[in-house]
Structures are given as structure tokens and as C-alpha cells.
Amino acid sequence: MNNRSVIRNLVNRALLIKSLTPELENRINHELAEQGYITDPDYEALEYLMKAVDQGKVRQI
């Protein structure tokens, strides 16, 4: 069983396709709302994704 979180899997998908689609963004937000908290590794993954978007490495559609 993969012990990576759903959020990190979604972030990884966005990084792989170099695009943060509305579907991925909505699924990330849904997971955050459902969990009610964010782990440090999930926070770091989201922070990395946002930096990649800011730097133009990942398109936000």
C-alpha cells in the first residue's frame, strides 16, 4: 500500500503535467477540507507547487 497522501499524489500529478488544472485544484481543496488539517509534508508539497506556479514552471489553468 502506498503511504503517500492523496494531497501529495495530486501535487505530484500537477508537477508531472506541468499544469494545475481546476480539477486538480478542486480535488486538493476537497482533501484539505475533508481532513480538516494539513501535515507538514503535505504543506511542503503545496508550498513547492505554489513556488513552481509563481516561477512559471507549472501553468495554472
Side-chain angles (χ1 to χ4, degrees):
M1 177 181 238
N2 188 357
N3 65 354
R4 276 178 93 181
S5 79
V6 173
I7 292 171
R8 279 179 275 157
N9 285 333
L10 293 168
V11 167
N12 189 46
R13 186 177 303 169
L15 292 171
L16 285 174
I17 65 172
K18 298 182 189 311
S19 181
L20 180 58
T21 64
E23 177 189 352
L24 285 173
E25 191 171 356
N26 287 338
R27 289 183 65 192
I28 290 169
N29 288 335
H30 174 77
E31 284 299 319
L32 289 170
E34 191 172 285
Q35 290 178 9
Y37 67 94
I38 185 167
T39 64
D40 287 341
D42 286 348
Y43 180 83
E44 290 171 4
L46 289 170
E47 189 174 50
Y48 183 81
L49 177 60
M50 291 298 94
K51 284 182 184 177
V53 169
D54 289 345
Q55 294 172 352
K57 296 178 182 177
V58 173
R59 290 182 305 139
Q60 187 172 15
I61 300 174

